[in-house]
Amino acid sequence: MNDQEFKAFVVEEKDGEFIGSIKTRKIASLPEGDLLIKVSYSSLNYKDALSASGNKGVTKNFPHTPGIDAVGVIAESDNAGFSVGDKVIVTSYDLGMNTSGGFSEYIRVPAEWAVKLPANLSMKEAMIYGTAGLTAGMSVLRLTDLVKPEEGKILVSGASGGVGALSVAILSKLGYSVTAITGKEHEKDYLLKLGAQEIILRTEFENLDKRPLLRPVCAGGIDTVGGVILENIIKSTVPMGAITCCGNVASPNLNLTVFPFILRGISLIGIDSQNYPMSYREQVWNKLAEEWKPSQLSEAFNEIPLASLPEKITLILQGKLKGRTVIKIAE
């Protein structure tokens, strides 16, 4: 099978510019791994766009195929836990970063990176979720361990983005009162449809009082942006509340005292979906397939072919891409 050819989106460096196009590759060119997977769908994430634009903090060597998400069918297996024909999800780890990724008809990966597709989740649904859904699910899992719906509202920042929107939808389905924080006023109707009960514009929430503690208004939060937004969520949380954080697009820095943690006993929980333990991953994927699956899931995505990737990569880098973008790989 090593001589078999397949199509992939390949980013090449030419005269200091990074250009992506559809190329023909051979199976033999893929990295070593236990599982050869014929990819059915992938999805577009901000990290993929950074890789495609030559960000060396994400991808060190080119030519390269991005795509941190993939779902497909095992074509070859050297691992007793997986059989040819099994449907599997592969997200994060090093996929699409320095290992040839999901924007390709085939990937080869270690078996430790793969999760069997839950019975009640289609391959397309798995990629509507993708890393964004996994991250949202991990955030919800950790938050709901400590905060119950009756204890107060939950703030979700970056709510119109992939992780934020899915967090809003999942929390709402679980009975939580959700307040969405967004910088996009035109997305209010979208967020209300996802289940948010209240919308706060980012500019309003950024310009709160600079005191070490603010009036407690929420039982917890899911933060996807960092910086002053996360600071103000922490300072506005009730005693014994909890906040998860998974992003730093606003800033990686926090200008805080220890007072929220000492005087109110607040918990701040970091979420790293890239290397999260497999036991948590399997638990989250099963919940996403069952009791956490939002009724709006099928409305929250656009499906494109591989050939449309360059246009969508430009849009996501400009902050103009709404919802999830699913790439159909297999014909």
Side-chain angles (χ1 to χ4, degrees), residues 157-228:
S157 68
S160 59
V163 177
L166 288 165
S167 296
V168 169
I170 295 167
L171 286 169
S172 175
K173 181 163 187 181
L174 293 177
Y176 287 83
S177 174
V178 182
T179 295
I181 304 170
T182 180
K184 299 176 180 177
E185 188 169 4
H186 60 280
E187 299 292 8
K188 284 186 175 181
D189 289 343
Y190 169 64
L191 292 169
L192 291 171
K193 189 174 181 180
L194 288 178
Q197 294 190 354
E198 181 184 7
I199 312 294
I200 299 176
L201 291 179
R202 182 182 65 214
T203 50
E204 298 174 17
F205 203 76
E206 286 175 332
N207 295 315
L208 299 180
D209 196 298
K210 301 300 181 184
R211 289 176 299 169
L213 286 170
L214 298 173
R215 181 172 64 89
V217 297
C218 63
I222 291 178
D223 174 70
T224 71
V225 298
V228 69

Side-chain angles (χ1 to χ4, degrees), residues 8-83:
F9 180 79
V10 179
V11 179
E12 299 173 292
E13 186 174 4
K14 297 179 180 177
D15 300 323
E17 292 187 17
F18 293 87
I19 300 170
S21 60
I22 307 300
K23 299 284 187 181
T24 298
R25 299 182 62 189
K26 290 189 175 182
I27 298 290
S29 69
L30 291 172
E32 293 183 359
D34 307 304
L35 306 178
L36 177 67
I37 300 166
K38 182 174 175 56
V39 180
S40 297
Y41 293 94
S42 184
S43 68
L44 178 61
N45 301 276
Y46 189 72
K47 188 175 285 187
D48 300 320
L50 291 177
S51 174
S53 56
N55 186 305
K56 295 299 178 73
V58 177
T59 301
K60 296 179 175 61
N61 299 306
F62 294 84
H64 174 67
T65 295
I68 64 172
D69 293 340
V71 64
V73 180
I74 294 177
E76 292 180 356
S77 174
D78 291 327
N79 184 280
F82 295 91
S83 302

Side-chain angles (χ1 to χ4, degrees), residues 165-312:
L166 288 165
S167 296
V168 169
I170 295 167
L171 286 169
S172 175
K173 181 163 187 181
L174 293 177
Y176 287 83
S177 174
V178 182
T179 295
I181 304 170
T182 180
K184 299 176 180 177
E185 188 169 4
H186 60 280
E187 299 292 8
K188 284 186 175 181
D189 289 343
Y190 169 64
L191 292 169
L192 291 171
K193 189 174 181 180
L194 288 178
Q197 294 190 354
E198 181 184 7
I199 312 294
I200 299 176
L201 291 179
R202 182 182 65 214
T203 50
E204 298 174 17
F205 203 76
E206 286 175 332
N207 295 315
L208 299 180
D209 196 298
K210 301 300 181 184
R211 289 176 299 169
L213 286 170
L214 298 173
R215 181 172 64 89
V217 297
C218 63
I222 291 178
D223 174 70
T224 71
V225 298
V228 69
I229 295 289
L230 177 54
E231 294 169 17
N232 286 338
I233 293 174
I234 293 169
K235 292 192 290 185
S236 301
T237 299
V238 301
M240 304 307 292
I243 303 103
T244 67
C245 63
C246 64
N248 58 21
V249 66
S251 173
N253 299 317
L254 289 179
N255 183 18
L256 280 172
T257 69
V258 296
F259 293 155
F261 308 105
I262 294 176
L263 299 182
R264 289 183 179 168
I266 289 166
S267 299
L268 179 62
I269 304 165
I271 303 294
D272 171 28
S273 61
Q274 183 174 345
N275 295 297
Y276 228 60
M278 182 55 71
S279 59
Y280 279 103
R281 288 171 178 265
E282 291 173 342
Q283 184 179 355
V284 168
W285 278 117
N286 284 319
K287 286 181 176 293
L288 291 172
E290 299 280 355
E291 65 266 32
W292 286 4
K293 187 188 288 188
S295 59
Q296 314 93 329
L297 185 64
S298 62
E299 303 171 15
F301 80 102
N302 295 301
E303 183 178 317
I304 65 168
L306 263 177
S308 297
L309 266 173
E311 172 194 353
K312 298 299 183 182

